[in-house]
Amino acid sequence: QQQVKQSPQSLIVQKGGISIINCAYENTAFDYFPWYQQFPGKGPALLIAIRPDVSEKKEGRFTISFNKSAKQFSLHIMDSQPGDSATYFCAANQAGTALIFGKGTTLSVSS
Amino acid sequence: SAVISQKPSRDICQRGTSLTIQCQVDSQVTMMFWYRQQPGQSLTLIATANQGSEATYESGFVIDKFPISRPNLTFSTLTVSNMSPEDSSIYLCSVGVWGAGTEAFFGQGTRLTVV
């Protein structure tokens, strides 16, 4: 499977701070880059996604930044809240294929 | 989007036995995927299941161990056969919805513990 490399493995952020998670991919044919949020005991839930024709997408406090030339994309969580504490996975695929996931980042937002 | 119901939600099984996990989708979908998530780990693709054809397995996964059925466009099953403690994981059903790229939606998963 083509790799998607995610960092950091864990992240501690104070309430109100900015959480930043980074991912890098190898396959230039990938054309869809989602982020999933997973709480303990639950399945992953789609949080936000981007396609390579845009460099940034914002939904509420969540923003994806995409750098096609560097083959990197990142998730920014503004004004992080304790309720954001979860595991976040980046993923990527090309049309018609399964998603390839990064290893995940465990985010803890301290109050 | 798609709503996915997965059964059972959890089970504790004896080694050497088999468990069949069911995945029901509320709409017809072409692509269904089965993933495994080992404790504290990421999601690893087991196989792609398309209706009317044999499932396509990823490296490290074989049909004898993880047989999959896909009888129609809304349903699939994954069987974990001859289980060992190493099979203790969360098994997740996912469906792909066509667009540019494939948006994937997940069921809640089946938490399997093999003792």
Side-chain angles (χ1 to χ4, degrees):
Chain A
Q1 296 181 19
Q2 299 281 348
Q3 280 193 322
V4 176
K5 296 181 179 179
Q6 183 172 346
S7 63
Q9 183 176 354
S10 62
L11 182 61
I12 299 174
V13 174
Q14 288 203 337
K15 179 181 177 181
I18 302 173
S19 304
I20 301 174
I21 306 171
N22 301 298
C23 280
Y25 62 98
E26 300 174 349
N27 188 344
T28 55
F30 286 158
D31 58 6
Y32 180 65
F33 304 90
W35 286 89
Y36 285 83
Q37 180 187 57
Q38 186 177 32
F39 293 103
K42 303 292 186 181
L46 179 63
L47 188 61
I48 186 172
I50 198 168
R51 303 192 192 280
D53 53 343
V54 296
S55 60
E56 185 175 283
K57 183 176 182 180
K58 183 177 180 179
E59 292 184 0
R61 296 186 293 109
F62 301 92
T63 300
I64 297 180
S65 297
F66 184 79
N67 186 328
K68 187 174 181 179
S69 61
K71 293 188 287 185
Q72 296 175 346
F73 58 110
S74 60
L75 175 68
H76 296 233
I77 305 175
M78 311 300 288
D79 186 27
S80 299
Q81 299 297 312
D84 297 330
S85 297
T87 301
Y88 294 81
F89 294 96
C90 64
N93 78 328
Q94 63 183 106
T97 66
L99 285 168
I100 305 300
F101 285 83
K103 291 188 179 296
T105 297
T106 301
L107 171 65
S108 297
V109 181
S110 60
S111 55
Chain B
S1 66
V3 177
I4 303 167
S5 300
Q6 202 172 321
K7 294 180 181 179
S9 58
R10 59 178 60 228
D11 207 342
I12 300 174
C13 300
Q14 296 290 322
R15 69 174 66 200
T17 63
S18 298
L19 175 72
T20 295
I21 302 168
Q22 298 181 2
C23 177
Q24 180 74 53
V25 189
D26 69 341
S27 58
Q28 294 185 338
V29 292
T30 303
M31 305 176 66
M32 294 182 77
F33 309 99
W34 287 97
Y35 288 84
R36 181 176 73 182
Q37 187 175 25
Q38 294 177 303
Q41 303 297 315
S42 184
L43 287 77
T44 300
L45 181 66
I46 297 172
T48 300
N50 293 327
Q51 193 266 339
S53 62
E54 293 288 328
T56 302
Y57 290 83
E58 297 298 308
S59 176
F61 298 96
V62 294
I63 187 171
D64 290 346
K65 176 67 175 177
F66 298 101
I68 289 171
S69 76
R70 182 78 200 274
N72 57 53
L73 291 174
T74 63
F75 187 78
S76 178
T77 65
L78 169 76
T79 299
V80 185
S81 303
N82 188 25
M83 289 183 285
S84 67
E86 292 71 33
D87 294 320
S88 297
S89 293
I90 299 173
Y91 292 86
L92 293 144
C93 170
S94 175
V95 300
V97 178
W98 278 100
T102 300
E103 297 196 23
F105 300 91
F106 287 85
Q108 292 286 69
T110 296
R111 184 180 296 271
L112 170 62
T113 302
V114 183
V115 297

